[in-house]
Structures are given as structure tokens and as C-alpha cells.
Amino acid sequence: MKQQIIDLAINHWNEKFVGIAACDIANKLNLTHHEAMKYLVTLKDENKGSLNQNVSLGQISITIDEKTKIITQEHNTIVTHIFFPSKDILERFYLQNLNKFINNGKYKNRLHCGYSQIELVYFEIGVLDKYLRNKEKFTLTDDTTGGVLKLNLNYLHTLSDDQVEKIYFNKIWYGKRKLLNGNTSISAILSDLSGLNKKEQSYWYSFELENPEFIENDGDFDRFITRAYHGNFIDSDDPLSEISNEISVINKIFEFELFQNTENPYLTYPVNNTLKEFVDCNSELFKLIGPDNLLIERIKKVYLNYLDGKPEELINSKSQRPFSQIQILIAACEKLNGELASDLKETWETIRKNRIIADHKISKPDYDPNNYIDSFRVNCVKLREVLKRIKVELTKLAGHHNY
């Protein structure tokens, strides 16, 4: 009987990747519930598996009256044991039946071998690279704590049902965790990974880290765990998303917008800790605050109409060339707050210089000990703080003008 129970538990696990209840075992093997629970305790004592004892489960009993065909339902609660076959038993079954699992991927088979669905697997951060560079096919919401990877719905609509079936997955919810060597790793939940097709699972497996070592205090990763495992939504403290939010708010201060776009879908944190990745990300960041996104006539209107500036003040006295968009914005900030104007100029110049490196200089793939991922985050934090202060000053200005 014990072997029958183990066989039943193995099949149940391989079908659903969850433990089997004593009440279900009793129904399938014509045992009393009490007998089934006693067998499970014995199997646990023999190290054949683990047991969650005295678990309350809801049951629905359905009865159909043969004469009236009336269906009645009865709801009740039963206290039972949940049995999980051991990893050793599941791995042995897996090895003895390889042909049954040969078409599965690495992570689906890891579940078949008894790993927990909610176990985290760690990868080099470069695993995200192909998804970030193929936004037409993938949707990625990425911040300092992690993100969610999905297939782009517009892309899916261009495919046949057979093509969709080959590549479809629900989502990959991932976190970011800092390593002792200064790099950042990606953590993904095993059950999410198992939903990828075999080829995609192999891709992730090629980036998997063996025995990664992590820093002790990692606030970003703690936020991910709180969200993923405790179901609590907490703020990510993510400067990139907050930059877009601040620009959106600034655009609503006046009856006209100052920025053409409030976000850049290709703006992300560096995937690899390299100078090239760092300057490329700065180049995408520059697009939000650079001349192509600042609406010069609108900024000029703020300077002339709201700050009582004069047109001749917006012309360079030496070259006689008119001020650029950013020069007008800095001039406006100078009238509002001299320190803010200085900070805006410094932050803008830092991002602009990195953008020039990205667009005009050839980067050599040499080893570099710098932490460019953290450096980019610092640039984002500085820009976020400057935008917050600009928002405050312009809000005051608009209020005084309306008054």
C-alpha cells in the first residue's frame, strides 16, 4: 500500500507540482481518511517525503438526484495531511523515465525532480540583453528592484496560432540582487522559468550562476522579495521611472507642455557593467532632456511671459547666436534659483558628455573595475532631484502668475 501511495504522489507531483492530500489518496485507494493519514506519517518517518500536517481544506460534495435531476452542493472543511515525495524519489523516477521528459526544458525538468515552484534561480544580468534590444517582440518593465518580462501583444497578433504556441509564456517576474564582486545578478522564479519553451529555457540556462555570493544588505532585493513573496506593493525608489513622472508633472504646470515626450521606451539601466553600456544608457537618458525633446518656443514663453525676461537676454553676447533650448531653461532657472541653475547645468553637462562618448567614440572592450551600473543610477538620482526642484519652482511661478 505504501508503494501505491508513493506512486500516486509521484504522478500527482509530475502533473501539478504540488503535494497530494490524504483525503484524495483515501478516495483513490479505497482507504479511510484516517488510514491514509497514518500511512503518510509512516512514509515521512521513513524519509520518503515531507508532510504538512493538519491542513484545513475546503471540500465541495455534489449530489445529483436521479429522478428530479436536481444538483445539490454541500460545502465543508476537512483537516488532512499534505504529502510531498522526496527529491530523491522524484529524481530517481525522472532518471528512470527520461523519455517522458526529453522534450521539456531545463527548468521544467527541475520541477519534475522535486524543486519548489517558488525557488529563485540566479543569472548574469546579461540574460536581459536580448529582451531589452527587442522591444518590438518583448515588453519589459525594468527598475532598480527588478521587473516583469512579457511578450509584446502587438507582436503576438502578427503570428499564427501555431507560431504563438511555440513561443508563448505568461511572464517572467525577476529581481535584481547585488553580488560581492560588485555586479548585479538577476533572480527569477522557477515556476515562471518552467513556462518558457525549451529553446528559451536553454538560453536562460546559459546565463545561470553557480554558487553566487551576495552582499549582506540589499534594499532593492528586499523590496523585490516583499513584492514577490509577501504580496505587498512598496515603492521601488526607482529614479528612472521617477524622472519620467517628474517630466509628466512639469508638462501639466502650464497650459502648454515643455517636453515633447515624457518617457523613452529604450531607456533602461545598464545590462552589463561596461563603459559602453554606461554611455549608451546616458545617451538614451539625454534624449529626455536634450534639445530634441525640449520645446524651445514653450520654454521661451515661460522666460519671456512668466519671468518678464527680455528677448535680447536669450542671445549670446559674443557669438550673437540665439540660446538653445537648454540654455533658455538654465536662464529661466537662474531667475528662479541660482543654485538650481548651476545644478541643472552640471547634471545636463555630465549626461551630455557621456552621450558624446556613446555616439562618437569607439569603446575598447578592456577590463574595467568601475561600477558603471551604480554610476548610472547616481546620474539618474541627480537628474531626478533637479527635475523635482524645477517642478517646485515652476509650480510657484505659475501660481504667482495666475494670482
Side-chain angles (χ1 to χ4, degrees):
M1 183 55 69
K2 288 191 293 185
Q3 187 57 50
Q4 287 181 275
I5 292 174
I6 288 175
D7 291 342
L8 199 60
I10 289 173
N11 291 333
H12 186 79
W13 176 268
N14 281 314
E15 182 181 344
K16 299 182 178 180
F17 304 119
V18 295
I20 188 168
C23 54
D24 290 334
I25 292 172
N27 289 335
K28 291 181 179 181
L29 297 180
N30 294 319
L31 297 171
T32 67
H33 185 216
H34 181 69
E35 287 173 333
M37 289 196 295
K38 284 186 66 176
Y39 275 120
L40 292 185
V41 171
T42 301
L43 289 172
K44 183 204 73 169
D45 292 341
E46 293 176 353
N47 296 319
K48 299 294 178 59
S50 59
L51 203 60
N52 285 353
Q53 295 180 265
N54 302 319
V55 176
S56 295
L57 296 180
Q59 277 192 328
I60 301 175
S61 300
I62 300 175
T63 305
I64 303 176
D65 190 299
E66 293 185 1
K67 292 182 178 180
T68 64
K69 303 301 181 183
I70 295 175
I71 300 173
T72 58
Q73 294 184 5
E74 182 180 345
H75 299 261
N76 56 68
T77 300
I78 185 171
V79 177
T80 190
H81 297 339
I82 309 293
F83 179 72
F84 300 83
S86 70
K87 269 189 179 181
D88 287 343
I89 287 175
L90 290 169
E91 286 177 353
R92 194 179 310 123
F93 181 84
Y94 169 78
L95 293 172
Q96 291 171 349
N97 298 273
L98 280 176
N99 287 338
K100 292 178 63 173
F101 307 106
I102 196 168
N103 291 322
N104 294 335
K106 294 280 186 180
Y107 300 109
K108 184 69 171 291
N109 283 337
R110 201 169 286 185
L111 287 177
H112 283 298
C113 288
Y115 287 75
S116 169
Q117 292 192 61
I118 62 173
E119 184 167 330
L120 285 176
V121 187
Y122 293 93
F123 305 88
E124 297 172 20
I125 194 171
V127 72
L128 299 179
D129 188 58
K130 84 166 187 177
Y131 304 111
L132 289 168
R133 300 187 190 285
N134 288 276
K135 292 289 186 74
E136 296 79 11
K137 294 182 179 180
F138 303 98
T139 299
L140 203 68
T141 55
D142 183 73
D143 62 27
T144 53
T145 65
V148 177
L149 167 67
K150 295 181 178 180
L151 285 160
N152 188 312
L153 288 178
N154 291 331
Y155 168 64
L156 287 178
H157 290 156
T158 67
L159 305 178
S160 67
D161 290 344
D162 289 341
Q163 289 173 317
V164 170
E165 188 176 352
K166 288 180 181 179
I167 67 168
Y168 184 78
F169 63 93
N170 184 24
K171 66 179 179 181
I172 300 291
W173 194 1
Y174 65 88
K176 294 180 179 178
R177 192 172 186 181
K178 290 185 176 62
L179 299 166
L180 276 179
N181 62 10
N183 292 330
T184 299
S185 68
I186 293 297
S187 63
I189 299 170
L190 182 56
S191 62
D192 288 351
L193 294 167
S194 71
L196 297 168
N197 64 61
K198 184 179 179 180
K199 183 178 179 180
E200 208 69 14
Q201 288 184 55
S202 295
Y203 168 78
W204 280 75
Y205 182 71
S206 68
F207 287 89
E208 186 173 339
L209 294 170
E210 292 186 14
N211 304 315
E213 295 182 319
F214 307 106
I215 64 172
E216 288 189 11
N217 299 310
D218 190 339
D220 289 333
F221 185 69
D222 291 342
R223 290 185 181 91
F224 167 73
I225 292 297
T226 300
R227 285 180 176 180
Y229 290 99
H230 304 300
N232 297 329
F233 179 81
I234 57 173
D235 183 47
S236 297
D237 188 28
D238 179 58
L240 266 191
S241 61
E242 290 175 7
I243 285 170
S244 292
N245 291 339
E246 294 301 329
I247 291 175
S248 296
V249 174
I250 290 171
N251 265 356
K252 297 175 183 176
I253 293 174
F254 303 102
E255 70 275 13
F256 49 85
E257 297 180 344
L258 302 182
F259 293 87
Q260 184 168 316
N261 298 294
T262 60
E263 58 183 26
N264 176 1
Y266 290 94
L267 174 57
T268 63
Y269 293 98
V271 172
N272 298 299
N273 189 36
T274 63
L275 174 61
K276 177 170 175 28
E277 195 82 21
F278 171 72
V279 295
D280 284 347
C281 289
N282 274 276
S283 182
E284 294 299 331
L285 180 60
F286 183 79
K287 292 176 183 178
L288 276 182
I289 57 168
D292 290 337
N293 201 39
L294 288 165
L295 298 168
I296 190 167
E297 293 302 324
R298 311 279 180 81
I299 298 170
K300 191 183 293 185
K301 185 174 181 179
V302 171
Y303 186 85
L304 298 176
N305 296 358
Y306 287 77
L307 289 167
D308 299 323
K310 299 177 181 178
E312 57 267 26
E313 295 172 344
L314 300 181
I315 297 176
N316 188 294
S317 59
K318 293 182 180 180
S319 67
Q320 293 301 302
R321 295 179 63 181
F323 277 12
S324 66
Q325 292 93 320
I326 190 66
Q327 287 175 321
I328 298 173
L329 183 58
I330 291 172
C333 289
E334 186 71 48
K335 282 182 173 288
L336 293 166
N337 184 318
E339 184 179 349
L340 172 58
S342 177
D343 291 344
L344 170 60
K345 185 176 181 179
E346 179 184 346
T347 303
W348 191 84
E349 280 294 333
T350 298
I351 298 170
R352 186 184 71 87
K353 286 177 181 177
N354 288 317
R355 173 250 179 186
I356 291 173
I357 294 173
D359 294 348
H360 300 287
K361 291 188 178 181
I362 296 175
S363 299
K364 295 181 179 180
D366 296 331
Y367 172 75
D368 192 333
N370 292 315
N371 192 323
Y372 289 110
I373 294 176
D374 283 351
S375 296
F376 182 70
R377 183 172 181 173
V378 169
N379 286 353
C380 292
V381 169
K382 288 181 179 178
L383 178 58
R384 176 191 65 186
E385 296 309 309
V386 166
L387 288 172
K388 281 184 177 181
R389 290 160 62 193
I390 291 175
K391 173 190 67 179
V392 170
E393 294 295 341
L394 291 182
T395 300
K396 290 179 185 176
L397 178 63
H400 290 314
H401 188 272
N402 292 334
Y403 179 77

